[in-house]
Amino acid sequence: MELIEHAPYKLYKGEKAGALVMNDRLFNQINPWAEANATAVKVNTPAHVAIIMDGNGRWAKKRGLPRVAGHREGMKAITKVVEKAHELGIKYLTLYAFSTENWKRPKSEVNFLMQLPERFLAKELPKLMKNNVQVRMMGDADKLPDHTLQAVQEAVDATAENTGIVLNFALNYGGRHELVHVVQELARDVEEGRMKAEAIDEELITSRLYTNQIPDPDLLIRTSGEIRLSNFMLWQLAYAEFWFTETLWPDFNEDGLAEAVIEYQQRKRRYGGV
């Protein structure tokens, strides 16, 4: 096996970026991703990254804290990841913030989660404006509390003219719920004579999704070690690359995002071809 020397890294030919090894890692305790991401992520960066932010409750439990403490800490991770995504040239970042199934959680926790958009945006909106970030939301807005929806809408309106990275929050979102809504819309159009059933194709369905104005995700990241989609973007993720990490969301940071992007860059996307 041919060894490629590229100080301070060693990479055996044919291996993925995950095989990068620090020459003196055991002695210097340097994270290779901290230096590797500075150059390796400049080519073939995914345009759209979607993240299932999982593990807040477990993060808190490990520390003997209430679950809400994990959610509060998770807000800090959002700030780090948005800034790094912007730096890497990612154009769209979709974060799974609250699912249609999350209403089953204890009422006190749900109430706290519904306050998080207000807290996050009140603190971070000036920075988002400075960094030219455009905020969007997808999900069933009708079921969100007025105070939550108002906070998000104010951020959406304030950043509407920004031309940088799109930060898309999935709030009260469920993939099956979204598809049922689209099917109902199309069925009404057919029933009322506005279109024929034969006109329904993938392009038309895509045009009716919450994400009709942004491309499908190229890369899905899920934290906390769980390996499932949890009803997230079932249509849009059909050909996305998946990357899972054991890291709990509050501990996820810039290097974690860079590592996922580097792994993505090593994969060949065939879309059913060869």
Side-chain angles (χ1 to χ4, degrees):
M1 184 177 292
E2 183 181 350
L3 174 63
I4 302 172
E5 292 283 359
H6 185 61
Y9 308 105
K10 292 180 181 178
L11 175 62
Y12 286 97
K13 191 173 182 179
E15 289 185 333
K16 297 182 178 181
L20 285 170
V21 180
M22 292 296 298
N23 293 337
D24 300 315
R25 181 175 58 185
L26 293 177
F27 301 98
N28 296 331
Q29 296 297 307
I30 298 174
N31 181 351
W33 301 112
E35 297 182 23
N37 70 44
T39 55
V41 295
K42 298 303 181 183
V43 181
N44 190 32
T45 301
H48 185 178
V49 175
I51 305 180
I52 300 176
M53 306 179 292
D54 196 17
N56 291 343
R58 275 167 283 174
W59 183 93
K61 184 177 180 180
K62 285 174 60 176
R63 292 160 176 77
L65 300 172
R67 289 176 58 85
V68 295
H71 296 310
R72 188 182 298 111
E73 194 69 20
M75 288 198 304
K76 300 176 183 178
I78 292 177
T79 301
K80 296 175 185 177
V81 169
V82 172
E83 291 180 350
K84 187 62 179 181
H86 172 74
E87 177 187 326
L88 298 181
I90 293 168
K91 293 179 172 58
Y92 304 90
L93 182 66
T94 295
L95 303 179
Y96 203 8
F98 190 89
S99 76
T100 50
E101 291 73 38
N102 286 156
W103 297 106
K104 301 173 185 176
R105 295 187 177 188
K107 191 174 186 300
S108 59
E109 183 176 353
V110 170
N111 289 340
F112 185 85
L113 288 169
M114 287 296 104
Q115 294 171 8
L116 284 183
E118 297 175 80
R119 297 186 182 192
F120 175 79
L121 293 169
K123 178 182 178 183
E124 298 296 331
L125 187 56
K127 187 181 297 184
L128 295 174
M129 290 296 297
K130 180 181 178 181
N131 291 329
N132 199 28
V133 176
Q134 183 183 123
V135 176
R136 296 188 189 179
M137 191 206 93
M138 69 177 190
D140 186 354
D142 292 340
K143 295 185 179 180
L144 292 174
D146 289 342
H147 61 89
T148 303
L149 189 57
Q150 181 179 345
V152 175
Q153 192 59 54
E154 287 177 358
V156 170
D157 293 342
T159 63
E161 300 301 319
N162 290 351
T163 58
I165 184 173
V166 171
L167 176 57
N168 184 35
F169 287 103
L171 276 168
N172 194 31
Y173 173 85
R176 289 183 175 181
H177 179 84
E178 178 181 31
L179 292 173
V180 167
H181 177 71
V182 170
V183 170
Q184 289 174 341
E185 275 192 349
L186 294 173
R188 279 192 293 269
D189 286 347
V190 171
E191 185 178 36
E192 296 172 10
R194 287 189 291 271
M195 62 182 294
K196 293 186 177 181
E198 292 76 15
I200 299 174
D201 57 15
E202 291 186 15
E203 184 177 353
L204 182 58
I205 293 173
T206 298
S207 73
R208 300 293 185 97
L209 297 172
Y210 292 128
T211 53
N212 61 73
Q213 294 183 335
I214 63 178
D216 290 343
D218 300 295
L219 172 64
L220 169 76
I221 297 171
R222 180 164 188 160
T223 59
S224 87
E226 302 294 349
I227 306 176
R228 57 177 177 268
L229 289 181
S230 296
N231 199 22
F232 186 47
M233 302 181 80
L234 301 179
W235 178 277
Q236 298 91 331
L237 291 170
Y239 276 102
E241 296 294 322
F242 292 179
W243 189 84
F244 301 97
T245 175
E246 297 284 339
T247 304
L248 301 176
W249 175 249
D251 292 326
F252 194 75
N253 58 22
E254 302 91 331
D255 290 343
L257 179 61
E259 182 179 355
V261 171
I262 290 171
E263 171 63 24
Y264 167 87
Q265 292 171 325
Q266 313 309 309
R267 301 181 186 179
K268 183 176 181 181
R269 305 180 73 191
R270 299 181 178 85
Y271 298 99
V274 293

